[in-house]
């Protein structure tokens, strides 16, 4: 009735967007509070280390698992791991000296998250046509981060009139309920074999795989120069969360203001994703040139961010005492800090959108892209696991330096991969395994026919 087709690529991206709105989006809201919404960051840091340690393994394996088991049931099962993790903080509220359950839940979440994000990445970058990939990434990123934004509203509203230094039970209960809903929503996804792109073509051209083939393809990832060139970008892409959440938000703001800040951090991610999508889908530039321009903008933006963050650190090297942490109502005192924090959210969206666009530009094969997305999330989690543990053992100054160095060090590798991007991906295969050449004239004719 409204022109919405259930089996269309866009509908499927929207559905997986809302799954991530309810599951990873709520997880981001918990983590974005700093220390998981607790006063002491030790349990949260250790839980996140466990989470990202298992995420490394199951991120890399996730693409194979999704190719073998399909998207619906893998996402359905993975979603409940997010609810278990949020529920573990409810337990921690009442047993603050016993963090073993939270750490174990973190490890289990790493298994589920690795699989979920491999499925999500495959849907987001293999379902759209080449010239629409940035738009689909932006649509997903807006919906996903709307979850983080609303997840920021929940603790802000529930904790508004409290002086507690940790989240109330009601915040965690709300997160558990929403994450369970997200898990069930995964069952609404259509099998990839039935999904069609905006031009009517099927998103699946290779239908069959097996355990042996998937094992071989995973090993090949670590021998592919282009994929290895992505490794520094992957490693860096979530490394900065620890510093931003624990040393910009938790160390400087009271509990209710952390939720207030997260509304802007995740909300402005939607703005960043939309803006960079306009550039990355701009037809007046070649695909490689779009990538180079976007890379330059992201690199300059991040260096400016870390310059501003350095200024905050020099002013508050040890954060603020608990009884003097800033409140959002102190407008003159907090304005600059909140602006910097929301710009960190913009930077995250710019970086992640560019990273996914680069991955999507390497292929149109949905099975191959599920492995690429899993590799991206696995190596991203490798960096995050190290970052969360560094927060336990390394002073904030050295964490800040490490973040800045990683951004600069990853730059030449990103440039190398972008320089290899072709105007069109030509590696899709028919069901019999034969190569399908990209026929630009045929596509142009199809575009003209649709326009008419």
């Amino acid at each position: 009735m409204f022109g919405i087709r259930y089996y269309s690529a866009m509908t499927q991206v929207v559905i997986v967007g809302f799954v991530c709105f309810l599951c990873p989006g709520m997880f981001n809201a918990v983590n974005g509070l700093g220390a998981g919404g607790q006063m002491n960051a030790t349990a949260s840091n250790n839980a996140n280390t466990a989470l990202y340690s298992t995420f490394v393994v199951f991120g890399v394996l996730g693409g194979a698992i999704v190719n073998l088991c399909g998207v619906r049931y893998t996402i359905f099962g993975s979603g409940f791991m997010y609810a278990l993790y949020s529920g573990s903080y409810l337990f921690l509220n009442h047993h603050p000296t016993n963090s073993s359950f939270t750490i174990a839940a973190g490890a289990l979440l790493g298994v589920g998250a690795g699989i979920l994000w491999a499925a999500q990445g495959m849907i987001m970058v293999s379902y759209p046509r080449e010239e629409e990939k940035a738009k689909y990434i932006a649509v997903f990123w807006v919906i996903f981060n709307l979850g983080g934004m609303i997840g920021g509203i929940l603790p802000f509203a529930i904790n508004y009139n409290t002086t507690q230094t940790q989240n109330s039970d009601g915040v965690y209960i709300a997160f558990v309920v929403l994450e369970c809903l997200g898990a069930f929503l995964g069952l609404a996804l259509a099998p990839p074999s039935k999904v069609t792109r905006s031009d009517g073509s099927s998103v699946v051209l290779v239908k069959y795989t097996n355990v042996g083939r998937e094992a071989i393809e995973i090993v090949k990832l670590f021998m592919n120069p282009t994929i290895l060139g992505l490794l520094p970008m992957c490693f860096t892409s979530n490394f900065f969360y620890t510093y931003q959440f624990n040393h910009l938000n938790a160390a400087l703001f009271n509990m209710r203001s952390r939720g207030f800040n997260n509304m802007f951090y995740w909300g402005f991610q939607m703005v960043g994703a939309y803006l960079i999508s306009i550039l990355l889908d701009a037809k007046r530039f070649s695909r490689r040139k779009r990538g180079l321009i976007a890379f330059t903008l992201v690199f300059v933006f991040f260096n400016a961010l870390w310059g501003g963050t350095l200024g905050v650190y020099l002013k508050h090297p040890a954060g603020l005492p608990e009884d003097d942490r800033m409140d959002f109502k102190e407008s003159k005192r907090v304005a600059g800090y909140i602006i910097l924090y929301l710009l960190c959210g913009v930077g995250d969206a710019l970086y992640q959108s560019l990273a996914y666009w680069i991955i999507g530009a390497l292929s149109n094969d949905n099975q191959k892209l599920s492995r690429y997305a899993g590799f991206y999330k696995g190596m991203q989690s490798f960096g995050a696991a190290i970052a969360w543990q560094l927060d336990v053992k390394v002073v904030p100054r050295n964490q800040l330096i490490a973040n800045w160095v990683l951004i600069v060090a990853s730059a030449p590798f990103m440039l190398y991969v972008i320089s290899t991007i072709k105007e069109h991906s030509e590696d899709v295969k028919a069901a019999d395994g034969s190569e399908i050449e990209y026929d630009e004239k045929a596509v142009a004719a199809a575009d003209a026919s649709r326009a008419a």
Side-chain angles (χ1 to χ4, degrees), residues 263-329:
M263 289 189 286
F264 291 96
Y265 184 93
W266 302 114
F268 272 80
Q269 292 227 12
M270 297 186 280
V271 176
Y274 172 74
L275 291 176
I276 199 169
S277 74
I278 296 172
L279 169 61
L280 291 173
D281 276 346
K283 295 181 179 179
R284 63 181 176 274
F285 301 123
S286 69
R287 191 147 70 156
R288 186 177 300 163
K289 188 171 184 179
R290 281 176 261 157
L292 291 171
I293 295 171
F295 164 80
T296 302
L297 291 173
V298 171
F299 183 73
V300 170
F301 191 89
F302 258 90
N303 277 279
L305 275 182
W306 285 114
T309 303
L310 176 62
V312 172
Y313 168 78
L314 293 174
K315 191 172 183 179
H316 305 290
L320 289 171
E322 182 185 334
D323 58 359
D324 190 40
R325 290 184 181 172
M326 292 182 282
D327 187 82
F328 76 99
K329 287 187 174 181

Side-chain angles (χ1 to χ4, degrees), residues 113-129:
I115 298 169
L116 182 146
W117 280 105
Q120 174 276 333
M122 183 272 283
I123 291 170
M124 184 177 69
V125 299
S126 75
Y127 281 17
R129 297 165 63 208

